[in-house]
Each structure stands twice: as C-alpha cells, then as structure tokens.
Amino acid sequence: MRRCRSPLLCLFAWGVAAAAHAGALTIRTADNHQQPVGDAVVTIDGAHAGTAAATHYIDQKGERFIPYVEVMHPGDSVVFRNSDSTRHHVYSFAPIGAFQFILSPGENSAPVVLRQVGTVAVGCNIHDHMIAYLVVTADQVRVTNEQGLAQFDDLPPGRYTVTVWHPQLWPGHPPVSANVDVPATGAAPDLPFTLRLMPDPRQVADHEHLDY
C-alpha cells in the first residue's frame, strides 16, 4: 500500500473515500389523521461525533417557549431568554437538570449545563400553558420540521435502529422504533412513522395570569 506523504492530502483522500461510501435517510412522521408531525425527536443508534460543547437558547415570546423541543448532547448548556413584556418563572424538576429562574422582561438566565442523557421538561410557574422539552442524547439526532421530515446525511452503510419520540405521545405509549438498511451510496427508502398524540397543551391559554 502506497503511503501518503502529506497529512492534508491524506485527510482529503479519506474524506473523498468516506463520501463515496455514505448514504442518506429521510424520516417522515404523521399522526393518526395522516397530518405531518413536527417537533418529533428522531435518534439513530451510533455515537454522535465528538464536537465542542454548544450553547442553546430557548426564547420566551408570546407566552411560549421557542423552540418547543430542543435537542442537545451531554456537556451542552442552555440559556433562557425572556422576550415578553411579562415576568416568567422558568423551572424544571428533572433529575438530570433541576433549576429555576425568575426572568423579568429582557433578561437572560445563567447557562445550565446538562451532562447526562435524558429528557428535561421545562415549565413556567406563572403561565401554566408554557412548556418546553430539552432532550439530551449521545446518539445522532434530528427534530422533524413542520412537514414532519427529518434528514440524516452521510451515514456509513449498515443497519440502524431509528427511534422517534414526541412529548405528546399518550401515556403508556413508548417511543416507536424501526430498523433500516442504509446503502453505501444514495438514499435509503423514506422511513415513515405514525404517532398517536395527545392534544397540544400549549393551546390552552392561562387567562388567570395574562397580566403578570
């Protein structure tokens, strides 16, 4: 085997070879009425490529947490912003990340570092309809868009287990999973999932505290 004398050329050659043997996968999520489901968390077994820890931002605007679902990796941190004209009391009792902040309009919270995998439900003690979810995973992960789609690119060929979770899954209904074979080149057939969901809790207005 011929030895590559330039580290940069070796790295480039390795990248070209890896790209030539990588596939793509699209996940499609829908509810029982065949309507697309956004904010579904899609994970593929396989370690997430190690990168520097990232800071995520959750805004509070129009008495909603934006985004509703945020995916993170262990060691990432999250900062909460209050872009409303009212106060918010942000809190979580999750074992992997308990915290609470009272944020006046225009304020940011201190960063919260999450080091363990798991799910953190976040609420506002002033406005009960405000809720968000932080999902911390060591796997490859995407969140479906409004069209119910999540795309994974440059996957090494092989068989994968795909798991889909949504915060509105009915109690007792675990995340749904399926196996898929990703080819060495090109795209695998789209993988569809049907989710049985409860009503969106954010649609219920907390009229008692609207003026806080």
Side-chain angles (χ1 to χ4, degrees), residues 10 12 125 189:
C10 287
F12 175 77
N125 204 33

Side-chain angles (χ1 to χ4, degrees), residues 38-39 64 68 129-133 166-170 197-205:
D39 294 315
R64 284 196 172 200
Y68 177 37
H129 60 283
M130 293 181 62
I131 189 167
Y133 293 87
H166 195 281
Q168 290 161 222
L169 282 172
W170 281 85
L197 302 180
M198 296 185 295
D200 190 337
R202 298 170 297 167
Q203 302 300 328
V204 180

Side-chain angles (χ1 to χ4, degrees), residues 13-182:
W14 177 87
V16 170
H21 296 283
L25 176 64
T26 299
I27 310 301
R28 295 181 176 272
T29 56
D31 61 18
N32 288 345
H33 304 288
Q34 295 306 303
Q35 296 300 309
V37 173
D39 294 315
V41 177
V42 182
T43 56
I44 291 185
D45 57 334
H48 162 67
T51 57
T55 301
H56 303 253
Y57 292 89
I58 306 295
D59 204 356
Q60 297 160 96
K61 193 171 184 179
E63 293 189 4
R64 284 196 172 200
F65 287 108
I66 303 173
Y68 177 37
V69 176
E70 181 76 358
V71 293
M72 306 170 61
H73 294 290
D76 287 357
S77 59
V78 59
V79 173
F80 294 91
R81 293 171 169 163
N82 184 354
S83 295
D84 273 337
S85 59
T86 62
R87 286 187 307 146
H88 291 303
H89 180 188
V90 184
Y91 72 96
S92 172
F93 297 130
I96 69 167
F99 54 82
Q100 62 174 331
F101 302 102
I102 296 178
L103 298 179
S104 295
E107 286 188 338
N108 287 0
S109 73
V112 177
V113 181
L114 298 174
R115 304 187 186 280
Q116 302 179 53
V117 299
T119 301
V120 178
V122 181
C124 173
N125 204 33
I126 298 175
H127 306 95
D128 292 340
H129 60 283
M130 293 181 62
I131 189 167
Y133 293 87
L134 310 175
V135 178
V136 187
T137 177
D139 291 331
Q140 300 179 69
V141 62
R142 300 285 189 276
V143 177
T144 58
N145 59 21
E146 292 182 355
Q147 290 73 45
L149 301 177
Q151 176 80 32
F152 291 85
D153 297 310
D154 299 327
L155 292 172
R159 169 159 285 201
Y160 293 88
T161 299
V162 179
T163 302
V164 179
W165 174 86
H166 195 281
Q168 290 161 222
L169 282 172
W170 281 85
H173 286 248
V176 291
S177 298
N179 294 324
V180 62
D181 292 311
V182 174

